[in-house]
Amino acid sequence: MIVRLNKAVLHVLDLDSAVSVLSKAELDLEEKPVKSYVQSICRKALGSTDCRHGNFGTDNALATKVSRYLHGADEFVPLTAEMAGFVFGEIQRADGAKSTDMLVADFMDGDDTRYLGLFLLEGKKAFVHDVSQAGSMVSCDIVRRYGVLPAATQKLASWAIVRADNLEISYVDKPRSIDGQDVLVLPEGLLQCSSEASARETIDCVTEIVEQVAEEHGANAALALSKAKAYVAEQVDEQDSFSRDGLAEKVFEDSEPARKAFETAAEVRHLPERVAVDRRAVAQKRVRCHRIVTDTGIEVSFPAEYGDDPEFIQFSTEENGLISIELKNIGSIENK
């Protein structure tokens, strides 16, 4: 996934000394290690299936400031310092909070969509070697370092990105106990935005309903789930959303009672009639492949669209009630 950085800045929120160090200068993105680290953080956020989605409320002061910056009316560093100052004040009050750095990045994806990303990097303690010399005596020791940043590949517990063209927000955050209440500092405190289900939660909800309805109506649950995933993958490839009714018709095309049961269950679970999902996050990670495990311990993983194609895989129920799976048109087999 392509990420092009425009600007980035790092602010230090040191809870051990109760002092915040708000940078007056941007990070030097000409330094390859710095650029690579920030790009990796942004890339992981763009590809996340765990993020929830939201929008700024009306008369939101921060939304106005972010919009002014994105349109060139405000400066980057002062805006990010103001946000970091607010976050520092909040996490200072949280029980068991750790020293945290706040990385803010202005970046573009491969489609030239612009984002403003806010990433909370909790400091870690790590042991490193230390070499010292006294006269002619060289000694090697082990020392502990504080405030070590997370690895670039590590999943972050708290971050948010704001899409520039419509100010839509994607975020992940963990609850922090502040004054006896669990608080999500980024969406509830800083951004004050609404909250919608994540792509992972949406797909999990759909698959749970499909599996439940299939089992209740005597259908093959594995086949039903592969049809559902194939339908979602096909739809989000084109329009970043899929129809709840269309999915029911595709999966349970031979059973009207099953379709009605799906609709009822979807209403109970508050699944909207048209479900919006991010094609980058979902189509590639959640619905392209279907994996089943039999009670005999055999595991089978196959492209979801093959589940409805008897040229590649076929499920059949024997007279004794047991299920047979036939794999077809295999040119070669590779041991993994």
Side-chain angles (χ1 to χ4, degrees):
M1 186 182 297
I2 297 174
V3 169
R4 295 192 300 275
L5 300 176
N6 298 321
K7 300 177 181 180
V9 67
L10 186 70
H11 301 293
V12 176
L13 314 179
D14 189 348
L15 296 184
D16 294 325
S17 62
V19 173
S20 61
V21 183
L22 305 180
S23 180
K24 302 287 187 184
E26 299 173 18
L27 291 172
D28 183 1
L29 299 178
E30 294 299 319
E31 292 288 336
K32 289 186 177 180
V34 175
K35 180 180 180 180
S36 177
Y37 183 83
V38 177
Q39 283 179 321
S40 296
I41 297 293
C42 296
R43 191 176 295 116
K44 286 188 70 65
L46 286 177
S48 173
T49 60
D50 296 319
C51 59
R52 298 179 71 86
H53 306 282
N55 292 280
F56 287 111
T58 55
D59 300 324
N60 186 302
L62 182 61
T64 301
K65 294 177 181 179
V66 169
S67 180
R68 283 179 54 83
Y69 161 69
L70 292 170
H71 287 86
D74 280 346
E75 296 295 322
F76 177 68
V77 171
L79 172 63
T80 65
E82 181 180 342
M83 293 190 289
F86 176 88
V87 171
F88 180 62
E90 290 296 288
I91 62 175
Q92 261 191 315
R93 299 162 49 212
D95 297 340
K98 300 179 181 178
S99 290
T100 300
D101 291 349
M102 182 169 174
L103 171 67
V104 186
D106 178 338
F107 65 97
M108 317 276 283
D109 66 10
D111 296 325
D112 290 331
T113 303
R114 187 182 178 194
Y115 299 90
L116 184 67
L118 295 73
F119 308 96
L120 300 188
L121 313 177
E122 284 194 354
K124 302 187 300 180
K125 298 175 182 177
F127 290 96
V128 299
H129 68 254
D130 181 67
V131 179
S132 60
Q133 182 172 355
S136 61
M137 177 68 69
V138 176
S139 61
C140 300
D141 204 352
I142 297 173
V143 297
R144 173 174 279 187
R145 290 284 185 261
Y146 295 86
V148 177
L149 294 177
T153 56
Q154 181 177 330
K155 182 182 289 189
L156 299 182
S158 299
W159 58 265
I161 57 176
V162 182
R163 183 167 167 153
D165 56 359
N166 55 19
L167 295 187
E168 288 183 355
I169 300 167
S170 301
Y171 73 86
V172 167
D173 204 359
K174 65 177 184 179
R176 292 173 170 84
S177 180
I178 299 176
D179 298 332
Q181 294 184 334
D182 285 342
V183 177
L184 300 177
V185 170
L186 290 180
E188 296 175 358
L190 178 64
L191 302 172
Q192 297 182 17
C193 65
S194 59
S195 179
E196 299 175 5
S198 68
R200 182 186 294 271
E201 291 169 330
T202 299
I203 298 303
D204 286 350
C205 177
V206 169
T207 54
E208 287 171 10
I209 295 173
V210 168
E211 184 173 19
Q212 175 186 342
V213 171
E215 291 176 348
E216 290 176 352
H217 288 78
N220 186 310
L223 180 57
L225 283 172
S226 67
K227 285 184 177 181
K229 290 182 176 181
Y231 174 81
V232 172
E234 178 184 359
Q235 293 296 305
V236 300
D237 267 350
E238 299 174 357
Q239 50 196 340
D240 277 358
S241 66
F242 65 91
S243 163
R244 189 181 73 185
D245 294 342
L247 184 142
E249 291 175 4
K250 175 68 175 179
V251 176
F252 302 112
E253 55 186 342
D254 298 327
S255 175
E256 184 176 352
R259 289 199 301 272
K260 291 182 177 179
F262 178 89
E263 288 296 327
T264 300
E267 289 286 349
V268 171
R269 297 286 294 272
H270 304 292
L271 192 69
E273 292 185 2
R274 184 138 205 105
V275 184
V277 289
D278 187 336
R279 76 183 68 175
R280 292 171 307 193
V282 177
Q284 299 300 326
K285 295 185 178 181
R286 303 295 292 173
V287 295
R288 288 295 188 196
C289 186
H290 186 55
R291 176 174 171 267
I292 59 176
V293 181
T294 71
D295 59 0
T296 56
I298 298 174
E299 298 184 15
V300 181
S301 179
F302 56 91
E305 65 267 24
Y306 286 4
D308 196 28
D309 190 341
E311 291 295 315
F312 294 101
I313 185 170
Q314 188 168 15
F315 297 84
S316 59
T317 303
E318 310 296 336
E319 293 182 357
N320 58 7
L322 298 178
I323 299 171
S324 294
I325 303 173
E326 184 178 1
L327 305 180
K328 302 179 179 180
N329 295 318
I330 299 172
S332 62
I333 295 176
E334 181 181 349
N335 292 313
K336 292 288 187 178

